[in-house]
Amino acid sequence: MTRAEDFEELRPLLFSIAYRITGSVSEAEDAVQETWLRYELSPTRPASVRSFLSAVVTRVAIDVLRSARVRREEYVGPWFPEPLLADPYQDPERSAELADSVSMAALLLLERLSPLERAVFVLREVFAFDFPEIASAVGRSEAACRQLAVRARRHMDDGRPRFEADRKEREELAARFFDALREGDLDGLRELLAADVRMVGDGGGKAPQWAPEFFGADKVGRLLASLLPPFARIGGVMRRQEVNGQPGAVLRDRDGKVVNILALEIVEGRVRTIRAVINPDKLGHMGPVADAWEVLRETLRVGRDPD
């Protein structure tokens, strides 16, 4: 195989590693491109192309994350990862780990780790790399990597909910939730929302905060029930879509432009968290992005005057 063929075969894995380290689709794509350039310019062909490329993309992603953390400290409002609608890397034997590790909740937990802890956790717990490979990738001893892995796993386990819904239960509840949402069925929404449900929006100061932060089944239910029916009346469409491996939806305006993304976190048979990504900078990889301010103004106007 040529270098280009080797690289293309491993591209899905490289992107998936970089995305989990950076939490950004665009930055992960840039890291993969930088990895290709370094591989193309490498004077010798490595004994293990997979190990070599995985190490390079990990180092690049760590550097990107260190730089990004400074910007995230100055970010306006809550910061969420860029939505990922489809993970390009597939491994039937590790499908559960892959799906869980890419969820919004897991990526936000990863934000608590240092860049090195995050990289070690991703390589070990998600992609099952052995410690000699991990040590080579992050430039630390095997003993140090084992310590980083233990520390990272402890932080991740402490932050995870104790009882998570199984996949079938989660999909059934999500279907009922989005049906009630589409119909503006307040009672139906209340029944599916946890008593302490949170709805949080990431607009980055560049889009209206449909949900800056709302708590409680009644407030969240009323907000959702009041927005979706008028949004549909102005030609808006909500389409169910897996977001970061979890139930979610993509909202588009009448022209098919992306307005925002909803991602659900379901625990103990109820929707516990609803995350809305509205920042246009985080939606561009999905296609043309709508003017969310104009969409909101028109939605509110129709909501006040349904006739």
Side-chain angles (χ1 to χ4, degrees):
M1 293 177 69
T2 66
R3 286 197 181 204
E5 289 170 337
D6 281 340
F7 186 83
E8 287 305 316
E9 184 174 305
L10 290 165
R11 182 188 287 273
L13 170 63
L14 303 178
F15 173 86
S16 295
I17 291 172
Y19 177 75
R20 285 164 174 80
I21 293 176
T22 64
S24 165
V25 172
S26 56
E27 289 172 349
E29 290 173 344
D30 289 345
V32 171
Q33 183 60 27
E34 176 65 21
T35 300
W36 161 248
L37 293 175
R38 295 188 188 187
Y39 180 47
E40 187 180 32
L41 295 174
S42 175
T44 59
R45 195 179 185 92
S48 170
V49 176
R50 179 179 183 272
S51 294
F52 175 83
L53 292 177
S54 298
V56 173
V57 82
T58 296
R59 293 184 203 122
V60 173
I62 289 173
D63 289 342
V64 169
L65 179 61
R66 284 172 173 154
S67 175
R69 286 201 157 189
V70 176
R71 298 192 302 274
R72 290 174 193 177
E73 288 174 1
E74 301 171 351
Y75 194 80
V76 177
W79 179 92
F80 295 156
E82 287 184 14
L84 183 67
L85 300 188
D87 188 351
Y89 180 70
Q90 303 295 322
D91 182 349
E93 293 184 1
R94 301 191 65 79
S95 59
E97 293 92 337
L98 289 169
D100 288 345
S101 67
V102 83
S103 70
M104 287 275 185
L107 291 173
L108 288 170
L109 283 176
L110 284 170
E111 285 290 307
R112 303 180 184 181
L113 308 182
S114 72
L116 277 179
E117 287 173 339
R118 183 165 181 163
V120 169
F121 181 87
V122 167
L123 292 176
R124 180 63 180 171
E125 299 296 326
V126 181
F127 296 99
F129 278 62
D130 59 34
F131 280 107
E133 288 180 294
I134 297 171
S136 174
V138 303
R140 295 292 189 274
S141 68
E142 288 183 42
C145 289
R146 290 179 187 277
Q147 291 179 341
L148 287 166
V150 168
R151 211 156 51 228
R153 193 181 306 116
R154 185 185 307 123
H155 285 310
M156 294 296 287
D157 289 343
D158 287 346
R160 283 195 176 109
R162 291 181 58 195
F163 304 103
E164 297 187 24
D166 65 39
R167 191 171 188 85
K168 182 179 178 182
E169 176 188 347
R170 191 175 65 198
E171 291 303 319
E172 290 176 350
L173 189 145
R176 292 168 56 203
F177 173 84
F178 285 115
D179 284 345
L181 182 54
R182 189 174 287 106
E183 295 166 7
D185 178 1
L186 178 56
D187 290 337
L189 288 169
R190 282 178 178 144
E191 181 183 341
L192 299 170
L193 297 171
D196 58 349
V197 63
R198 296 171 61 239
M199 183 167 180
V200 191
D202 173 356
K206 299 182 178 183
Q209 293 288 85
W210 285 25
E213 193 151 12
F214 289 83
F215 291 92
D218 188 63
K219 286 185 178 179
V220 171
R222 288 183 183 280
L223 172 70
L224 292 171
S226 69
L227 284 175
L228 265 293
F231 175 69
R233 287 200 292 273
I234 65 169
V237 175
M238 179 183 69
R239 184 164 290 117
R240 282 190 62 195
Q241 169 79 54
E242 193 169 85
V243 177
N244 289 75
Q246 305 293 314
V250 179
L251 281 72
R252 297 180 185 270
D253 70 6
R254 64 169 67 89
D255 298 319
K257 295 179 180 179
V258 181
V259 178
N260 75 332
I261 300 294
L262 296 178
L264 306 186
E265 182 181 345
I266 296 173
V267 180
E268 296 185 292
R270 293 288 186 274
V271 177
R272 189 177 76 169
T273 309
I274 303 168
R275 297 183 176 92
V277 180
I278 321 164
N279 185 341
D281 293 346
K282 296 186 177 184
L283 303 174
H285 62 283
M286 299 171 53
V289 179
D291 180 345
W293 291 102
E294 179 58 34
V295 171
L296 181 58
R297 281 193 292 268
E298 193 174 355
T299 297
L300 293 175
R301 180 181 59 76
V302 170
R304 288 192 298 267
D305 183 18
D307 298 327

